[in-house]
Amino acid sequence: MATKDSRAAGLAALASLVADETRAACLLALLDGRAWTAGELARHAGVAPSTLSEHLGRLVAGGLLAQERQGRHRYVRLADTRTAQLVEDLAAQVTPAGTARPRTLRESSAGSAMARGRTCYDHLAGRLGIAITDAFTERGLLRQDTGFALTDAGLRWYGAAGIPLDRSARRPLARACLDWTERRPHLAGAAGAALCRHALDAGWCVRIGSERAVRVTAPGERALHELLGIGREALC
Amino acid sequence: MATKDSRAAGLAALASLVADETRAACLLALLDGRAWTAGELARHAGVAPSTLSEHLGRLVAGGLLAQERQGRHRYVRLADTRTAQLVEDLAAQVTPAGTARPRTLRESSAGSAMARGRTCYDHLAGRLGIAITDAFTERGLLRQDTGFALTDAGLRWYGAAGIPLDRSARRPLARACLDWTERRPHLAGAAGAALCRHALDAGWCVRIGSERAVRVTAPGERALHELLGIGREALC
DNA sequence: TGGACGTTTCGGCCGGCGCCGAAACGCCGG
DNA sequence: CCGGCGTTTCGGCGCCGGCCGAAACGTCCA
């Protein structure tokens, strides 16, 4: 019983960190994979800087966030891919129920940009992520019928495209991540992250403003068409 | 911002359900995949029945538990595999940090039985689950190097062993579940559940007492050796 | 039909914690 | 070296929510 209590206490403590709306908003914001300052997060969440400072202290102490101090700024980001995956999973469990609808025009256009394409911590999501995942599957690079794994052809594709894959890491190569706009799984894991990094480095897509949304560039459209047969109609 | 707020509020609300030690203990107990009565859970968690009744109300209202009333009993179980997976993931995130150690002899022996073999909602875990997963991988039935998926040989193995696989469901056939005693992934998903069900139905293993722990029977040892080449030494 | 028992509802208590504003602390730039 | 600014600490406020016991409700059994 004592072991059970210890497990339950740890589980409750972990959940407590997420169980506050302000902290939850921070975690969701940090899902863009970048580092935010304390002040940015305070404005984003709509609370006093002093309040947010305490929240950050808890999240860092709980191991959910990593911090880096530069001068008078405090930068925080999600601690690791494991944490990001956890937040994604929790968020995915929520959205199917609460059909959230944008209310203002600004939110609406921002929302449609997010639905078109965005980063999901370190990989691509939205219709862009789905289009890539579908193309991978159709071309036999990704197998979804018996689980979620790259095929040998998929490994070769990465090599041919010149996208480096870190296969030594303990991180799984391919993993399914549930998309909260499309409600379908898309490619995550080391392979998804490598593809996203390459897409941003090679200029296939660029970030829109300071948000998670991304836009596919003209060279990006050509590359996606040549390498994966993705047509323009799948991206809008 | 309103959409973000809505997502954050939902996320916080979901986490709030888990963020209480008593409710967390219930969720962990229900990971055995069976239905418990309110009284059993109250004794298990060490709180008054009235207290636990309110907790169950919240968990059911929040969609984490499904309930079934029979006479003067209220049976509750985890709502679905999705919920079970979420609790598993959260629990797995916790245990690596808090190296829980059993304190009494009784806990210790119960703990070692759990470490030897147990159910993890609807599939097998512990050293038994790891042994099966390893055997699957070595025999080319399961592929872990590029993700986590059954191979064609794996599909044929299920057919040859006479274990029915539901491939029509939206549930993924193979999924990795992190083992909290072995700290390695083991086979979950529809394939893991089918194997566990068959193992219990065919008498390959039996539950010990009313807990999650299972014991491999003599016919079970023979079957595991013949079908998967698992030796007795891997099971103790 | 009456008593036992599992469950639920209702007050009441109390601790935890999220919030703010004021003030202090550091770092930076002029 | 001084003023601005991002951040942190601290005190105080108020509310949410978990806990219990008492009592009510409903079911099962003798």
Side-chain angles (χ1 to χ4, degrees), chain A residues 20 22-23 47-48 50-51 55 58 71:
Chain A
D20 174 81
T22 299
R23 286 195 294 267
V47 296
S50 59
T51 300
H55 284 309
R58 284 171 177 266

Side-chain angles (χ1 to χ4, degrees), chain B residues 36-40 49 53 56 67-75:
Chain B
W36 292 49
T37 69
E40 286 171 338
S53 174
L56 292 186
Q67 63 178 338
E68 204 169 331
R69 309 187 103 103
Q70 289 184 12
R72 56 181 165 184
H73 289 281
R74 179 196 209 177
Y75 286 95

Side-chain angles (χ1 to χ4, degrees), chain A residues 134-198:
Chain A
D134 285 350
F136 264 61
T137 307
E138 280 164 18
R139 302 182 83 116
L141 310 180
L142 178 70
R143 186 154 188 190
Q144 293 193 54
D145 58 339
T146 58
F148 203 94
L150 285 185
T151 61
D152 293 315
L155 290 176
R156 286 193 299 272
W157 182 89
Y158 271 85
I163 301 175
L165 264 185
D166 180 15
R167 299 196 54 187
S168 66
R170 286 171 43 201
R171 181 177 186 195
L173 204 52
R175 186 178 67 76
C177 174
L178 189 58
D179 199 295
W180 61 270
T181 48
E182 297 295 312
R183 308 208 182 161
R184 291 177 49 201
H186 57 253
L187 178 64
L195 183 58
C196 175
R197 201 178 323 119
H198 183 77

